[in-house]
């Protein structure tokens, strides 16, 4: 067990099979964190939490949340706070804002509805969930917030034509830097990760030709595994990462985009 055993990691967007969220939750648990799974699918959140608890022997709790809906986020936060006060979960130490949706539609075919939805889940969701869970971290003077952006924020959405997605993920980078600066020395760090292509179900809309073209453009010649992203998120959540804040960690196989 590590120094993290006394703390709980809260993850949004962590029920999708092979997804970055579930993979990261398992990695946190392997490192000794207690786990909270918050996802649109409440039943699956509870089931994934139970599976992780059984496999790794850590406390775990699952609850439904729609990250884009403030009432839903507050209800989830209240449920988690109840678990903490009842002693079933240790104090909240980390928040990984992983829930996200794409917008694989060419720009002129996008609608205001799609734009609003993509902004709401990716950007507003990160805002709402962070605002709900941050007070507990400030109170404990220890916390790690890791926000899921994307290489799309840095160089545009590429073959998927993801203009709303790129804009929403770029908003997360500004949010991360500003919040890190504003929090200052509260023991709470705020960082973002910008994966390139990761092999998960979110990519089901792309064709094999598109996937081949993506891999060919990556110096390492392949997409990332979810585990490779999880490793960075859990490092940024560790005691050792205490002097890393307001930064963006690229996980893109050497595709230098700056
Ligand atoms: N896979 C990639 O290539 C890649 C690359 C860069 C960044 N990302 C980002 O990583 C994150 C996870 O991606 P993934 O590939 O595992 O995707 P995924 O589609 O497999 O998982 C997304 C998860 O978010 C949940 N979710 C969606 N809307 C939600 C809402 N309103 N409230 C709560 N939960 C919601 C889904 O139920 C699902 O569990 C996303 O933010 C994505 O944009 C993915």
């Amino acid at each position: 067990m590590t120094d993290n055993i006394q703390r709980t990691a809260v993850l949004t967007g962590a029920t999708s099979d092979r997804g970055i969220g579930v993979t990261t939750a398992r990695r946190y648990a392997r490192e000794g964190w207690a786990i909270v799974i918050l996802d649109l699918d409440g039943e699956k959140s509870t089931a994934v939490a139970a599976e992780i608890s059984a496999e790794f022997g850590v406390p775990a709790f699952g609850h439904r949340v729609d990250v884009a809906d403030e009432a839903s986020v507050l209800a989830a936060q209240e449920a988690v706070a109840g678990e903490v006060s009842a002693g079933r979960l240790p104090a909240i130490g980390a928040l990984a804002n992983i829930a996200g949706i794409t917008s694989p539609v060419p720009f002129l075919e996008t609608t205001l509805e799609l734009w609003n939805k993509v902004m709401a889940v990716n950007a507003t969701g990160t805002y709402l969930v962070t605002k709900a869970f941050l007070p507990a971290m400030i109170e404990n003077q220890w916390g790690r917030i890791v926000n899921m952006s994307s290489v799309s924020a840095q160089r545009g959405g590429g073959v998927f034509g993801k203009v709303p997605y790129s804009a929403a993920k770029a908003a997360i980078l500004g949010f991360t830097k500003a919040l890190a600066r504003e929090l200052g020395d509260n023991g709470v760090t705020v960082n973002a990760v910008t994966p390139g292509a990761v092999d998960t179900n979110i990519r089901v809309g792309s064709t094999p030709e598109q996937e081949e073209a993506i891999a060919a453009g990556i110096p390492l010649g392949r997409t990332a595994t979810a585990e490779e992203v999880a490793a960075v998120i859990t490092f940024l959540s560790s005691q050792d990462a205490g002097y890393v804040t307001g930064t963006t960690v690229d996980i893109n196989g050497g595709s230098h985009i700056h």
Side-chain angles (χ1 to χ4, degrees), residues 12-21 38-41 65-68 97-102 121-122 148-151 165 169 194-203:
T12 67
T15 63
S16 169
D17 296 334
R18 305 170 61 241
I20 294 169
L38 302 179
D39 201 285
L40 267 182
D41 187 335
V65 80
D66 178 352
V67 297
N97 283 306
I98 297 175
I101 55 170
T102 51
V121 175
N122 291 285
M148 178 57 72
S149 180
S150 164
V151 71
Y165 179 77
K169 292 301 194 187
T194 45
V198 187
D199 184 21
T200 71
N201 293 337
I202 209 171
R203 315 183 59 76

Side-chain angles (χ1 to χ4, degrees), residues 11-241:
L11 300 96
T12 67
T15 63
S16 169
D17 296 334
R18 305 170 61 241
I20 294 169
V22 170
T23 307
T24 305
R26 292 171 56 80
R27 173 117 191 175
Y28 273 119
R30 204 165 79 213
E31 294 184 3
W33 292 77
I35 298 299
V36 170
I37 305 281
L38 302 179
D39 201 285
L40 267 182
D41 187 335
E43 271 178 32
K44 208 163 174 200
S45 299
T46 306
V48 168
E51 271 165 36
I52 289 178
S53 179
E55 184 174 351
F56 296 96
V58 299
F61 177 70
H63 199 278
R64 182 184 185 275
V65 80
D66 178 352
V67 297
D69 179 69
E70 187 172 27
S72 171
V73 170
L74 294 177
Q77 186 277 331
E78 211 172 296
V80 173
E83 294 297 300
V84 174
S85 355
R88 288 189 288 272
L89 286 175
I92 307 298
L95 168 64
N97 283 306
I98 297 175
I101 55 170
T102 51
S103 54
V105 175
F107 179 62
L108 288 178
E109 289 170 31
T110 59
T111 58
L112 178 59
E113 194 187 0
L114 175 72
W115 169 271
N116 284 338
K117 171 125 204 200
V118 172
M119 292 301 282
V121 175
N122 291 285
T124 309
T126 298
Y127 160 73
L128 289 174
V129 177
T130 301
K131 193 151 176 265
F133 285 95
L134 178 59
M137 296 187 193
I138 293 178
E139 198 183 317
N140 298 331
Q141 291 287 293
W142 202 97
R144 304 282 187 256
I145 298 169
V146 185
N147 296 321
M148 178 57 72
S149 180
S150 164
V151 71
S152 302
Q154 299 163 309
R155 67 170 183 204
V159 294
F160 298 103
K162 297 178 287 200
V163 171
Y165 179 77
S166 300
K169 292 301 194 187
I172 289 171
L173 297 183
F175 172 88
T176 299
K177 287 170 213 249
L179 183 60
R181 193 176 279 275
E182 185 175 322
L183 283 178
D185 187 18
N186 266 293
V188 181
T189 65
V190 193
N191 293 290
V193 292
T194 45
V198 187
D199 184 21
T200 71
N201 293 337
I202 209 171
R203 315 183 59 76
V204 285
S206 63
T207 64
E209 292 73 32
Q210 285 173 329
E211 288 296 318
E212 259 174 49
I214 289 168
I218 300 170
L220 292 190
R222 62 172 179 84
T223 53
T225 63
E227 179 61 39
E228 286 167 329
V229 179
V232 177
I233 295 173
T234 53
F235 167 70
L236 290 171
S237 306
S238 69
Q239 186 73 34
D240 283 347

